[in-house]
């Protein structure tokens, strides 16, 4: 009986290690638009690394490059939801908040004898409590240079010792992502000039090394360097549709299918949508649709649709289910 139980547990463990590449790819592409070249390679990499029984380093160390608002953070959220079952299992660090030497202490904790030592580090303590994490360091170029020593250890050995408690945080069940929009114009030029993915990645790494943004040993820790393309046109409209669906859900409403072409047409006429960048898109959409969504909810509607009024403005209308 014990042998049978061990065999069943082994089979369950094996199943838990398997990733359905097509399913994961579809899930990520449902969240992030315009970056299929990244998602196609990323899902294969994660599937292969996820299936390993033993690891001495994180599942993957990734560097995501590109202009602001191209979907780097959104892709990380999508990965956390798919791989770790909840976006809450993603740790997101804004590296502009770690620009001084005290940033290292904030991440791995205060030494024994100092105030706050028992609380642990903002990085190490959550990983000690749950090592299955997606960990994102956003705009890494803004971090204090001394923090990179921590990254080298975390990405290379899969371990960090928390000051104060002396406990070792295990990162071998985590995915580490560093994002940057530094040198995005030069990197975009490399992307346009080189078609081969491996040659392009090597050229990008060389540029980052020559520009002294990353130390050579740091670049050597990355399993992949992904360059995100600028978003424009119908792709932005597709992203807007996704955000509209989420906005409706926040009011407990279902949004009927919206053709991206309809949104694209409205965007081309809207001064608000022209004025703000992609990162402001969600806020602009909320401002445009909130009154209509709230009004629909107040009359008991469960489903709404998006239409263009006579002035070409997007408006919300309740859907009659009868």
């Amino acid at each position: 009986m014990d042998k049978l139980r061990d065999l069943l547990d082994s089979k369950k463990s094996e199943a838990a290690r398997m990733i359905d590449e097509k399913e994961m790819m579809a899930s990520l592409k449902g969240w992030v638009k315009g970056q299929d070249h990244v998602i196609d390679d990323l899902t294969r990499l994660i599937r292969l690394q996820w299936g390993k029984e033993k690891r001495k380093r994180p599942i993957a160390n990734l560097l995501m490059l590109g202009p602001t608002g191209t979907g780097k953070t959104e892709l990380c959220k999508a990965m956390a939801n798919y791989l770790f079952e909840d976006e809450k299992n993603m740790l997101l660090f804004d590296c502009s908040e770690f620009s001084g030497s005290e940033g290292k202490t904030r991440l791995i904790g205060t030494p024994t004898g100092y105030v706050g030592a028992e609380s642990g580090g903002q990085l190490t303590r959550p990983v000690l409590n749950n090592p299955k994490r997606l960990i994102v360091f956003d705009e890494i170029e803004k971090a204090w240079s001394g923090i990179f020593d921590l990254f080298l250890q975390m990405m290379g050995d899969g371990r960090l010792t928390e000051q104060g408690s002396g406990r070792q945080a295990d990162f071998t069940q985590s995915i580490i992502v560093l994002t940057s929009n530094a040198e995005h114009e030069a990197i975009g030029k490399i992307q346009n000039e080189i078609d081969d993915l491996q040659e392009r990645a090597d050229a990008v790494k060389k540029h980052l090394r020559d520009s002294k943004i990353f130390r050579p040993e740091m670049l050597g820790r990355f399993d992949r360097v992904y360059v995100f393309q600028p978003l424009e046109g119908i792709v932005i409209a597709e992203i807007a549709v996704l955000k509209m669906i989420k906005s409706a859900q926040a009011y407990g409403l279902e949004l009927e299918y919206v053709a991206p072409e309809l949104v694209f047409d409205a965007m081309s006429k809207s001064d608000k949508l022209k004025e703000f960048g992609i990162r402001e898109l969600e806020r602009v959409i909320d401002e445009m649709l909130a009154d209509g969504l709230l009004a629909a909810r107040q009359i008991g509607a469960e489903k709404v649709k998006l239409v263009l009024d006579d002035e070409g403005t997007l408006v919300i209308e309740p859907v009659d289910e009868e």
Side-chain angles (χ1 to χ4, degrees), residues 30-31 74 81 87 239-258 282 285-286 289-290 292-294 296-297 301-306 316:
W31 277 65
E74 199 69 17
N81 266 288
E87 190 179 315
I239 294 170
V241 170
L242 292 177
K243 293 186 181 298
M244 289 172 179
I245 292 171
K246 289 182 180 179
S247 187
Q249 289 172 343
Y251 287 89
L253 298 166
E254 178 187 351
L255 180 63
E256 197 175 67
Y257 171 76
V258 181
E282 190 165 353
I285 287 171
D286 280 343
L289 305 183
L293 291 169
L294 182 58
R297 187 60 187 157
E302 295 181 357
K303 193 173 184 179
V304 293
K305 61 183 178 181
L306 201 62
I316 290 289

Side-chain angles (χ1 to χ4, degrees), residues 97-107 143-147 150:
E97 299 177 2
F98 295 87
S99 57
S101 58
E102 73 283 353
K104 183 175 180 180
T105 300
R106 289 175 59 189
L107 289 174
W144 176 58
S145 59
I147 288 179
L150 291 181

Side-chain angles (χ1 to χ4, degrees), residues 1-10:
M1 183 62 74
D2 289 340
K3 287 185 178 180
L4 177 60
R5 187 181 297 111
D6 290 343
L7 178 62
L8 291 173
D9 288 343
S10 174

